[in-house]
Every structure is written in structure tokens, then in C-alpha cells.
Coordinates of all heavy atoms in Angstrom, one line a residue:
M36 N -20.2 -12.6 23.4 CA -20.5 -12.8 24.8 C -20.0 -14.2 25.2 O -20.2 -15.2 24.5 CB -22.0 -12.7 25.0 CG -22.5 -12.7 26.3 SD -22.4 -11.2 27.4 CE -23.2 -10.0 26.4
R37 N -19.3 -14.2 26.4 CA -18.9 -15.6 26.9 C -20.0 -16.3 27.6 O -21.0 -15.7 27.9 CB -17.7 -15.3 27.9 CG -16.5 -14.7 27.2 CD -15.3 -14.5 28.0 NE -15.4 -14.5 29.4 CZ -14.4 -14.3 30.2 NH1 -13.2 -13.9 29.8 NH2 -14.6 -14.4 31.5
Q38 N -19.7 -17.6 27.9 CA -20.7 -18.4 28.6 C -21.1 -17.7 30.0 O -22.2 -17.9 30.5 CB -20.3 -19.8 28.8 CG -20.4 -20.5 27.5 CD -20.0 -22.0 27.6 OE1 -19.3 -22.3 28.6 NE2 -20.6 -22.8 26.8
D39 N -20.2 -17.1 30.7 CA -20.4 -16.5 31.9 C -21.1 -15.1 31.9 O -21.3 -14.5 33.0 CB -19.1 -16.5 32.8 CG -18.0 -15.5 32.2 OD1 -18.4 -14.8 31.2 OD2 -16.9 -15.5 32.7
G40 N -21.5 -14.7 30.7 CA -22.2 -13.5 30.6 C -21.3 -12.2 30.4 O -21.8 -11.2 30.2
R41 N -20.0 -12.5 30.5 CA -19.1 -11.3 30.3 C -18.8 -11.0 28.9 O -18.8 -11.9 28.1 CB -17.8 -11.5 31.1 CG -18.0 -11.5 32.6 CD -16.8 -11.7 33.4 NE -15.5 -11.5 32.9 CZ -14.4 -12.0 33.3 NH1 -14.4 -12.8 34.3 NH2 -13.3 -11.7 32.7
S42 N -18.6 -9.7 28.5 CA -18.4 -9.4 27.1 C -17.0 -9.8 26.7 O -16.0 -9.8 27.5 CB -18.6 -7.9 27.0 OG -18.1 -7.5 25.7
T43 N -16.8 -10.2 25.4 CA -15.5 -10.5 24.9 C -14.9 -9.3 24.1 O -13.8 -9.4 23.6 CB -15.6 -11.7 24.0 OG1 -16.6 -11.5 22.9 CG2 -16.0 -13.0 24.7
S44 N -15.7 -8.3 24.0 CA -15.2 -7.1 23.2 C -14.0 -6.4 24.0 O -14.0 -6.4 25.2 CB -16.3 -6.1 22.9 OG -16.8 -5.5 24.1
K45 N -13.2 -5.8 23.2 CA -12.0 -5.1 23.8 C -12.1 -3.6 23.4 O -12.5 -3.3 22.3 CB -10.7 -5.7 23.2 CG -10.5 -7.1 23.6 CD -9.2 -7.6 23.0 CE -9.0 -9.1 23.3 NZ -7.9 -9.7 22.7
I46 N -11.7 -2.8 24.2 CA -11.6 -1.4 24.0 C -10.3 -1.1 23.4 O -9.2 -1.3 24.0 CB -11.9 -0.6 25.3 CG1 -13.3 -0.9 25.8 CG2 -11.7 0.9 25.0 CD1 -13.7 -0.2 27.1
L47 N -10.3 -0.5 22.2 CA -9.1 -0.2 21.6 C -8.7 1.3 21.8 O -9.5 2.1 22.1 CB -9.2 -0.3 20.0 CG -9.5 -1.8 19.6 CD1 -9.8 -1.8 18.0 CD2 -8.4 -2.7 19.9
P48 N -7.3 1.6 21.8 CA -6.9 3.0 22.0 C -7.5 3.9 20.9 O -7.7 3.5 19.8 CB -5.4 2.9 22.0 CG -5.1 1.6 21.2 CD -6.2 0.7 21.5
A49 N -7.6 5.2 21.3 CA -8.1 6.1 20.3 C -7.2 6.2 19.0 O -5.9 6.2 19.3 CB -8.2 7.5 20.9
V50 N -7.7 6.3 17.9 CA -6.9 6.4 16.7 C -7.0 7.8 16.2 O -8.1 8.4 16.2 CB -7.4 5.4 15.7 CG1 -6.7 5.6 14.4 CG2 -7.3 4.0 16.1
E51 N -5.9 8.4 15.8 CA -6.0 9.8 15.4 C -6.7 9.8 14.1 O -6.7 9.0 13.3 CB -4.4 10.2 15.0 CG -4.4 11.7 14.7 CD -3.0 12.2 14.5 OE1 -2.0 11.5 15.0 OE2 -2.8 13.2 13.8
R52 N -7.4 11.0 14.0 CA -8.2 11.3 12.8 C -7.4 11.3 11.5 O -6.2 11.8 11.5 CB -8.9 12.5 12.9 CG -9.9 12.9 11.8 CD -10.6 14.2 12.2 NE -11.2 14.7 10.9 CZ -11.3 16.0 10.7 NH1 -11.0 16.9 11.6 NH2 -11.8 16.4 9.5
F53 N -7.9 10.7 10.4 CA -7.1 10.6 9.2 C -7.0 12.1 8.6 O -7.9 12.8 8.5 CB -7.9 9.8 8.1 CG -7.3 9.8 6.8 CD1 -5.9 9.3 6.6 CD2 -7.9 10.3 5.7 CE1 -5.4 9.3 5.4 CE2 -7.3 10.2 4.4 CZ -6.1 9.7 4.2
R54 N -5.8 12.5 8.3 CA -5.5 13.8 7.8 C -4.6 13.7 6.5 O -3.4 13.6 6.6 CB -4.7 14.7 8.9 CG -5.6 14.9 10.1 CD -4.8 15.7 11.1 NE -5.4 15.6 12.4 CZ -6.4 16.3 12.8 NH1 -7.1 17.0 12.0 NH2 -6.9 16.2 14.0
P55 N -5.3 13.6 5.3 CA -4.5 13.4 4.1 C -3.4 14.4 3.8 O -2.3 14.1 3.3 CB -5.6 13.5 3.1 CG -6.9 13.4 3.7 CD -6.7 13.8 5.1
E56 N -3.6 15.7 4.4 CA -2.6 16.7 4.1 C -1.2 16.5 4.8 O -0.2 17.0 4.6 CB -3.1 18.1 4.5 CG -3.3 18.3 5.9 CD -4.6 17.7 6.5 OE1 -5.4 17.1 5.8 OE2 -4.9 17.9 7.8
R57 N -1.3 15.5 5.8 CA -0.1 15.2 6.5 C 0.6 13.9 6.0 O 1.6 13.4 6.5 CB -0.4 15.0 8.0 CG -0.9 16.2 8.6 CD -1.6 15.9 10.0 NE -0.6 16.2 11.1 CZ -0.8 15.8 12.4 NH1 -2.0 15.2 12.6 NH2 0.0 16.1 13.3
G58 N 0.0 13.4 4.9 CA 0.4 12.1 4.3 C 1.8 12.3 3.6 O 2.3 13.4 3.3
H59 N 2.4 11.2 3.3 CA 3.6 11.1 2.5 C 3.3 10.2 1.3 O 3.1 9.1 1.4 CB 4.7 10.6 3.4 CG 6.1 10.4 2.7 ND1 6.9 11.5 2.6 CD2 6.6 9.3 2.1 CE1 8.0 11.1 1.9 NE2 7.8 9.8 1.6
L60 N 3.5 10.8 0.1 CA 3.4 10.1 -1.2 C 4.5 9.2 -1.5 O 5.7 9.7 -1.5 CB 3.1 11.0 -2.3 CG 2.8 10.4 -3.7 CD1 1.6 9.7 -3.7 CD2 2.9 11.5 -4.8
V61 N 4.3 7.9 -1.5 CA 5.5 7.0 -1.8 C 5.5 6.5 -3.2 O 6.6 6.1 -3.7 CB 5.5 5.8 -0.8 CG1 5.6 6.2 0.6 CG2 4.2 4.9 -1.0
R62 N 4.4 6.6 -4.0 CA 4.5 6.2 -5.4 C 3.4 7.2 -6.2 O 2.3 7.4 -5.7 CB 4.0 4.9 -5.7 CG 5.1 3.8 -5.4 CD 6.2 4.1 -6.5 NE 7.3 3.1 -6.4 CZ 8.5 3.4 -5.8 NH1 8.7 4.5 -5.2 NH2 9.4 2.5 -5.8
K63 N 3.8 7.7 -7.3 CA 3.0 8.5 -8.1 C 2.2 7.6 -9.2 O 2.8 6.5 -9.6 CB 3.7 9.5 -8.9 CG 4.3 10.5 -8.0 CD 5.1 11.6 -8.8 CE 5.7 12.6 -7.9 NZ 6.4 13.7 -8.7
P64 N 1.1 8.0 -9.6 CA 0.4 7.3 -10.8 C 1.3 7.3 -12.0 O 2.2 8.2 -12.2 CB -0.9 8.1 -11.0 CG -1.1 8.9 -9.8 CD 0.3 9.2 -9.2
P65 N 1.1 6.4 -12.9 CA 2.0 6.4 -14.2 C 1.6 7.4 -15.1 O 2.3 7.5 -16.2 CB 1.6 5.0 -14.7 CG 0.3 4.6 -14.2 CD 0.1 5.3 -12.9
G66 N 0.6 8.2 -14.9 CA 0.2 9.4 -15.9 C -0.7 10.3 -15.2 O -1.1 10.1 -14.0
D67 N -1.0 11.4 -15.9 CA -1.9 12.4 -15.4 C -3.3 12.1 -16.0 O -3.5 11.7 -17.1 CB -1.4 13.8 -15.7 CG -0.2 14.1 -15.0 OD1 0.1 13.7 -13.8 OD2 0.7 14.8 -15.6
G68 N -4.3 12.5 -15.3 CA -5.7 12.5 -15.8 C -6.5 11.3 -15.3 O -6.0 10.4 -14.5
P69 N -7.7 11.2 -15.7 CA -8.7 10.1 -15.2 C -8.2 8.7 -15.7 O -7.6 8.6 -16.8 CB -9.9 10.5 -16.0 CG -9.9 11.9 -16.3 CD -8.4 12.2 -16.6
G70 N -8.3 7.8 -14.8 CA -7.9 6.5 -15.1 C -6.5 6.1 -14.6 O -6.2 4.9 -14.6
F71 N -5.6 7.0 -14.4 CA -4.3 6.8 -14.0 C -4.2 6.8 -12.4 O -4.7 7.8 -11.8 CB -3.3 7.8 -14.4 CG -3.0 7.7 -15.9 CD1 -3.5 8.6 -16.8 CD2 -2.1 6.8 -16.4 CE1 -3.3 8.7 -18.1 CE2 -1.9 6.7 -17.7 CZ -2.4 7.7 -18.6
W72 N -3.8 5.7 -11.8 CA -3.6 5.7 -10.4 C -2.7 4.6 -9.9 O -2.3 3.7 -10.7 CB -4.9 5.7 -9.6 CG -5.8 4.5 -9.8 CD1 -6.8 4.4 -10.7 CD2 -5.8 3.2 -9.1 NE1 -7.4 3.2 -10.6 CE2 -6.9 2.5 -9.6 CE3 -5.1 2.7 -8.1 CZ2 -7.2 1.2 -9.1 CZ3 -5.4 1.4 -7.6 CH2 -6.4 0.7 -8.1
C73 N -2.2 4.8 -8.8 CA -1.3 3.8 -8.1 C -1.8 3.5 -6.8 O -2.2 4.4 -6.0 CB 0.1 4.4 -7.9 SG 1.3 3.3 -7.1
G74 N -2.1 2.1 -6.5 CA -2.7 1.8 -5.3 C -3.0 0.4 -5.0 O -2.2 -0.5 -5.6
A75 N -4.0 0.0 -4.2 CA -4.3 -1.3 -3.7 C -3.1 -1.9 -3.1 O -2.7 -3.0 -3.4 CB -4.8 -2.1 -4.9
P76 N -2.4 -1.1 -2.2 CA -1.2 -1.6 -1.7 C -1.3 -2.6 -0.6 O -2.3 -2.7 0.1 CB -0.5 -0.4 -1.1 CG -1.7 0.4 -0.7 CD -2.8 0.1 -1.7
G77 N -0.3 -3.4 -0.4 CA -0.1 -4.3 0.7 C 1.2 -4.1 1.2 O 2.2 -3.7 0.4
S78 N 1.5 -4.2 2.5 CA 2.9 -4.0 3.0 C 3.2 -5.1 4.0 O 2.4 -5.8 4.6 CB 3.0 -2.6 3.7 OG 2.1 -2.5 4.8
Y79 N 4.5 -5.2 4.2 CA 5.1 -6.2 5.1 C 6.4 -5.7 5.7 O 7.2 -5.1 4.9 CB 5.4 -7.5 4.3 CG 6.2 -8.6 5.0 CD1 5.5 -9.3 6.1 CD2 7.4 -8.8 4.6 CE1 6.3 -10.3 6.7 CE2 8.2 -9.8 5.3 CZ 7.6 -10.5 6.3 OH 8.3 -11.5 7.0
F80 N 6.7 -5.9 6.9 CA 7.9 -5.5 7.5 C 8.6 -6.8 7.9 O 8.2 -7.7 8.5 CB 7.8 -4.7 8.8 CG 9.1 -4.4 9.5 CD1 9.9 -3.5 9.0 CD2 9.5 -5.1 10.6 CE1 11.2 -3.2 9.5 CE2 10.7 -4.8 11.2 CZ 11.5 -3.8 10.7
D81 N 9.9 -7.0 7.2 CA 10.7 -8.2 7.5 C 11.7 -7.9 8.6 O 12.5 -7.1 8.5 CB 11.4 -8.5 6.2 CG 12.3 -9.7 6.4 OD1 11.8 -10.8 7.0 OD2 13.5 -9.7 6.1
S82 N 11.4 -8.6 9.7 CA 12.2 -8.3 10.9 C 13.7 -8.8 10.8 O 14.6 -8.3 11.4 CB 11.6 -8.9 12.1 OG 11.4 -10.3 12.0
D83 N 13.9 -9.8 9.9 CA 15.3 -10.2 9.7 C 16.1 -9.2 8.9 O 17.2 -8.9 9.3 CB 15.3 -11.5 8.9 CG 14.7 -12.7 9.7 OD1 14.8 -12.6 11.0 OD2 14.3 -13.7 9.1
S84 N 15.6 -8.6 7.8 CA 16.3 -7.7 7.1 C 16.1 -6.3 7.6 O 16.7 -5.3 7.1 CB 15.9 -7.8 5.6 OG 14.6 -7.3 5.4
R85 N 15.1 -6.0 8.4 CA 14.7 -4.7 8.9 C 14.3 -3.8 7.8 O 14.7 -2.6 7.8 CB 15.8 -4.1 9.8 CG 16.5 -5.0 10.8 CD 15.8 -5.0 12.2 NE 15.5 -3.7 12.7 CZ 14.4 -3.5 13.5 NH1 13.6 -4.5 13.7 NH2 14.2 -2.3 13.9
R86 N 13.5 -4.3 6.9 CA 13.1 -3.5 5.7 C 11.6 -3.7 5.5 O 11.0 -4.7 5.9 CB 13.8 -4.0 4.4 CG 15.3 -3.8 4.4 CD 15.9 -3.9 3.1 NE 15.6 -3.0 2.1 CZ 16.1 -1.8 2.0 NH1 17.0 -1.3 2.9 NH2 15.7 -1.0 1.0
F87 N 11.0 -2.6 4.9 CA 9.6 -2.7 4.6 C 9.5 -3.0 3.2 O 10.3 -2.6 2.4 CB 9.0 -1.3 4.9 CG 8.9 -0.8 6.2 CD1 10.0 -0.1 6.8 CD2 7.8 -1.0 7.0 CE1 10.0 0.3 8.1 CE2 7.8 -0.5 8.3 CZ 8.9 0.1 8.8
Y88 N 8.5 -3.8 2.9 CA 8.2 -4.3 1.5 C 6.7 -3.8 1.1 O 5.8 -4.0 1.9 CB 8.3 -5.8 1.3 CG 9.8 -6.2 1.4 CD1 10.3 -6.5 2.6 CD2 10.6 -6.1 0.2 CE1 11.7 -6.9 2.7 CE2 11.9 -6.4 0.3 CZ 12.4 -6.8 1.6 OH 13.8 -7.1 1.6
L89 N 6.6 -3.2 0.0 CA 5.3 -2.7 -0.5 C 4.9 -3.4 -1.8 O 5.7 -3.4 -2.7 CB 5.4 -1.2 -0.7 CG 4.2 -0.4 -1.1 CD1 3.1 -0.4 -0.1 CD2 4.6 1.0 -1.5
Y90 N 3.7 -3.9 -1.9 CA 3.1 -4.5 -3.1 C 2.1 -3.5 -3.6 O 1.3 -3.0 -2.7 CB 2.6 -5.8 -2.9 CG 1.7 -6.2 -4.0 CD1 2.2 -6.9 -5.1 CD2 0.3 -6.1 -3.9 CE1 1.4 -7.3 -6.1 CE2 -0.5 -6.5 -5.0 CZ 0.1 -7.1 -6.0 OH -0.8 -7.5 -7.1
F91 N 2.2 -3.1 -4.8 CA 1.1 -2.2 -5.3 C 1.0 -2.4 -6.8 O 1.7 -3.1 -7.5 CB 1.5 -0.7 -5.1 CG 2.8 -0.3 -5.7 CD1 2.8 0.4 -6.9 CD2 4.0 -0.6 -5.1 CE1 4.1 0.8 -7.5 CE2 5.2 -0.2 -5.6 CZ 5.3 0.4 -6.8
R92 N -0.1 -1.8 -7.4 CA -0.4 -1.9 -8.8 C -0.5 -0.6 -9.4 O -1.0 0.4 -8.7 CB -1.5 -2.8 -9.1 CG -2.8 -2.4 -8.5 CD -3.9 -3.5 -8.7 NE -5.0 -3.1 -7.9 CZ -6.2 -3.4 -8.2 NH1 -6.5 -4.3 -9.2 NH2 -7.3 -3.1 -7.5
L93 N -0.2 -0.4 -10.7 CA -0.3 0.8 -11.5 C -1.5 0.6 -12.3 O -1.6 -0.5 -13.1 CB 0.9 1.0 -12.2 CG 2.2 1.3 -11.4 CD1 3.5 1.5 -12.3 CD2 2.1 2.5 -10.5
R94 N -2.4 1.5 -12.4 CA -3.6 1.4 -13.3 C -3.5 2.5 -14.3 O -3.0 3.6 -14.1 CB -4.8 1.6 -12.4 CG -5.0 0.5 -11.4 CD -5.4 -0.9 -12.0 NE -6.6 -0.9 -12.7 CZ -7.7 -1.5 -12.2 NH1 -7.7 -2.1 -11.1 NH2 -8.8 -1.5 -13.0
Y95 N -4.0 2.2 -15.5 CA -4.1 3.0 -16.7 C -5.5 3.2 -17.1 O -6.4 2.4 -16.8 CB -3.3 2.5 -17.8 CG -1.7 2.2 -17.4 CD1 -1.4 1.3 -16.6 CD2 -0.8 3.2 -17.9 CE1 0.0 1.1 -16.3 CE2 0.5 3.0 -17.6 CZ 0.9 2.0 -16.8 OH 2.3 1.9 -16.4
P96 N -5.8 4.2 -18.0 CA -7.2 4.3 -18.5 C -7.6 2.9 -19.3 O -6.7 2.3 -19.7 CB -7.2 5.5 -19.4 CG -6.0 6.3 -18.9 CD -5.0 5.3 -18.4
L97 N -8.9 2.7 -19.4 CA -9.3 1.4 -20.0 C -8.8 1.2 -21.4 O -8.4 0.1 -21.8 CB -10.8 1.5 -20.0 CG -11.6 1.2 -18.7 CD1 -13.1 1.4 -18.9 CD2 -11.3 -0.1 -18.2
D98 N -8.7 2.3 -22.2 CA -8.2 2.2 -23.6 C -6.7 1.9 -23.6 O -6.1 1.6 -24.6 CB -8.5 3.3 -24.5 CG -8.0 4.7 -23.9 OD1 -7.5 4.8 -22.8 OD2 -8.0 5.7 -24.7
Q99 N -6.0 2.0 -22.5 CA -4.6 1.7 -22.4 C -4.2 0.4 -21.7 O -3.1 0.2 -21.3 CB -3.8 2.9 -21.8 CG -3.9 4.1 -22.6 CD -3.2 5.3 -22.0 OE1 -2.2 5.1 -21.4 NE2 -3.7 6.5 -22.2
G100 N -5.3 -0.4 -21.4 CA -4.9 -1.7 -20.7 C -5.3 -1.8 -19.3 O -5.1 -2.9 -18.8
R101 N -5.8 -0.7 -18.7 CA -6.2 -0.7 -17.3 C -5.1 -1.2 -16.3 O -4.1 -0.6 -16.1 CB -7.5 -1.4 -17.2 CG -8.3 -1.1 -15.8 CD -8.6 0.4 -15.8 NE -9.4 0.6 -14.7 CZ -9.3 1.8 -14.1 NH1 -8.5 2.7 -14.5 NH2 -10.1 2.1 -13.0
G102 N -5.3 -2.3 -15.7 CA -4.5 -2.9 -14.6 C -3.5 -3.9 -15.3 O -3.8 -5.0 -15.4
R103 N -2.3 -3.4 -15.5 CA -1.4 -4.2 -16.2 C 0.0 -4.3 -15.7 O 0.9 -5.0 -16.1 CB -1.3 -3.8 -17.6 CG -0.7 -2.5 -17.9 CD -0.5 -2.1 -19.3 NE 0.4 -1.0 -19.4 CZ 0.1 0.1 -20.2 NH1 -1.0 0.1 -20.8 NH2 1.0 1.0 -20.3
E104 N 0.2 -3.6 -14.5 CA 1.5 -3.6 -13.9 C 1.5 -3.7 -12.4 O 0.7 -3.0 -11.7 CB 2.2 -2.3 -14.3 CG 3.7 -2.3 -14.0 CD 4.4 -1.0 -14.6 OE1 3.8 -0.3 -15.4 OE2 5.5 -0.8 -14.2
F105 N 2.2 -4.6 -11.9 CA 2.3 -4.8 -10.4 C 3.7 -4.7 -10.0 O 4.7 -5.2 -10.8 CB 1.8 -6.3 -10.2 CG 0.4 -6.6 -10.6 CD1 0.3 -7.0 -12.0 CD2 -0.7 -6.3 -9.9 CE1 -1.0 -7.3 -12.5 CE2 -1.9 -6.6 -10.4 CZ -2.1 -7.0 -11.7
R106 N 4.0 -4.2 -8.9 CA 5.4 -3.9 -8.4 C 5.6 -4.2 -6.9 O 4.6 -4.2 -6.2 CB 5.8 -2.5 -8.6 CG 5.9 -2.1 -10.1 CD 6.5 -0.7 -10.2 NE 6.5 -0.3 -11.6 CZ 7.0 0.9 -12.0 NH1 7.4 1.7 -11.2 NH2 6.9 1.2 -13.3
I107 N 6.8 -4.6 -6.6 CA 7.2 -4.7 -5.3 C 8.4 -3.8 -5.1 O 9.3 -3.7 -5.8 CB 7.6 -6.2 -4.9 CG1 6.5 -7.1 -5.1 CG2 8.2 -6.3 -3.5 CD1 6.8 -8.6 -4.9
A108 N 8.3 -3.0 -3.9 CA 9.3 -2.0 -3.6 C 9.8 -2.3 -2.1 O 9.1 -2.9 -1.3 CB 8.8 -0.5 -3.8
S109 N 11.0 -1.8 -1.9 CA 11.6 -2.1 -0.6 C 12.1 -0.7 0.0 O 12.5 0.2 -0.7 CB 12.9 -3.0 -0.8 OG 13.5 -3.1 0.4
S110 N 12.1 -0.7 1.4 CA 12.5 0.6 2.1 C 13.1 0.3 3.4 O 12.5 -0.6 4.1 CB 11.2 1.5 2.2 OG 11.5 2.5 3.1
P111 N 14.1 1.0 3.8 CA 14.6 0.9 5.2 C 13.7 1.6 6.2 O 13.8 1.3 7.4 CB 16.0 1.4 5.1 CG 15.9 2.5 4.0 CD 14.9 1.9 3.0
D112 N 13.0 2.6 5.8 CA 12.3 3.5 6.7 C 10.8 3.5 6.5 O 10.1 4.2 7.3 CB 12.9 4.9 6.7 CG 12.7 5.6 5.2 OD1 12.0 5.0 4.4 OD2 13.3 6.7 5.1
G113 N 10.2 2.9 5.5 CA 8.8 2.9 5.2 C 8.3 4.2 4.6 O 7.1 4.3 4.4
L114 N 9.2 5.0 4.1 CA 8.8 6.3 3.5 C 9.4 6.3 2.1 O 8.8 6.8 1.2 CB 9.2 7.5 4.3 CG 8.6 7.6 5.7 CD1 9.3 8.7 6.4 CD2 7.2 7.8 5.5
D115 N 10.7 6.0 1.9 CA 11.3 6.2 0.6 C 11.5 4.6 0.1 O 12.4 3.9 0.6 CB 12.7 6.9 0.8 CG 12.4 8.3 1.2 OD1 11.6 9.0 0.6 OD2 13.0 8.7 2.2
F116 N 10.9 4.3 -0.9 CA 10.9 3.0 -1.5 C 11.7 2.9 -2.9 O 11.6 3.9 -3.7 CB 9.5 2.5 -1.8 CG 8.7 2.1 -0.5 CD1 8.1 3.1 0.3 CD2 8.7 0.8 0.0 CE1 7.5 2.8 1.5 CE2 8.2 0.5 1.1 CZ 7.5 1.4 1.9
D117 N 12.4 1.9 -3.1 CA 13.0 1.5 -4.4 C 12.3 0.3 -4.9 O 12.1 -0.7 -4.2 CB 14.5 1.3 -4.2 CG 15.2 2.6 -3.7 OD1 15.0 3.6 -4.4 OD2 16.1 2.5 -2.8
D118 N 12.0 0.2 -6.2 CA 11.4 -0.9 -6.8 C 12.4 -2.1 -6.7 O 13.6 -2.0 -7.0 CB 11.0 -0.6 -8.3 CG 9.9 0.3 -8.4 OD1 9.3 0.5 -7.3 OD2 9.5 0.6 -9.5
V119 N 11.9 -3.3 -6.4 CA 12.6 -4.5 -6.4 C 12.3 -5.3 -7.6 O 13.3 -5.8 -8.2 CB 12.3 -5.4 -5.1 CG1 13.0 -6.7 -5.1 CG2 12.6 -4.6 -3.9
T120 N 11.1 -5.4 -8.0 CA 10.7 -6.1 -9.2 C 9.3 -5.6 -9.7 O 8.6 -4.9 -9.0 CB 10.5 -7.6 -8.9 OG1 10.4 -8.4 -10.0 CG2 9.4 -8.0 -8.0
A121 N 9.1 -5.9 -11.0 CA 7.8 -5.5 -11.7 C 7.3 -6.6 -12.5 O 8.1 -7.4 -13.1 CB 8.0 -4.3 -12.5
L122 N 6.0 -6.8 -12.5 CA 5.4 -7.7 -13.4 C 4.4 -6.9 -14.3 O 3.6 -6.2 -13.9 CB 4.5 -8.7 -12.6 CG 3.6 -9.7 -13.4 CD1 4.4 -10.6 -14.3 CD2 2.7 -10.5 -12.5
I123 N 4.7 -7.0 -15.6 CA 3.9 -6.3 -16.6 C 3.1 -7.3 -17.5 O 3.8 -8.1 -18.1 CB 4.9 -5.4 -17.5 CG1 5.6 -4.4 -16.6 CG2 4.0 -4.6 -18.5 CD1 6.6 -3.6 -17.2
L124 N 1.9 -7.2 -17.4 CA 1.0 -8.1 -18.2 C 0.9 -7.5 -19.6 O 0.5 -6.3 -19.9 CB -0.4 -8.2 -17.6 CG -0.3 -8.6 -16.1 CD1 -1.8 -8.6 -15.5 CD2 0.2 -10.0 -16.0
M125 N 1.1 -8.4 -20.6 CA 1.0 -8.0 -22.0 C -0.4 -8.3 -22.4 O -0.9 -9.5 -22.3 CB 2.0 -8.7 -22.9 CG 3.4 -8.6 -22.3 SD 3.9 -6.9 -22.2 CE 4.9 -6.6 -23.5
T126 N -1.1 -7.3 -23.0 CA -2.5 -7.7 -23.6 C -2.5 -7.6 -25.1 O -1.7 -7.1 -25.7 CB -3.4 -6.5 -23.0 OG1 -2.9 -5.3 -23.4 CG2 -3.5 -6.6 -21.5

């Protein structure tokens, strides 16, 4: 609320309901079964190179080291990514 009593809140446009079946998988987990997943992503669009960059981690079951691999991938369209670099933690 502002000092003059008017609200500072903004009305945002309606957001389409989340529909997982319409999604596009950009990275698969490193294995099948419980404990394998790929996620915790962050993304960035570089306006100079006109490319999308995706940061994500690969997770493994606890007995295989859990969270030990981090990657950065690049894409011209935000859908099809190629790995740029990987950091693998040795345990």
C-alpha cells in the first residue's frame, strides 16, 4: 500500500494451466528406477549469441553417489540442447 492509500499490487495476465503431457523433455535421467533424475535447472538466454543456456544436475541413487554431476548445455531454440561442459565430483 502506498502512502496515498492506493494499492501497489499489479494484475498479471492469466497463465495457462500446467499440462505435463504437452511438455518437451530436454534431458533424460542418467538411469532408470528410483533415485535417478535430471533436474534443478536454471536457464539463461544470451542476447548476443542468441542462444539458450541450461544448467542442470544429474542425480543417482544414494549408494551410487547421489548428486555428483553438473552440466551446462546450449541451444539455438530452447528445445534441443547440446552439452557444453560437465563437472563430475569424485567421491
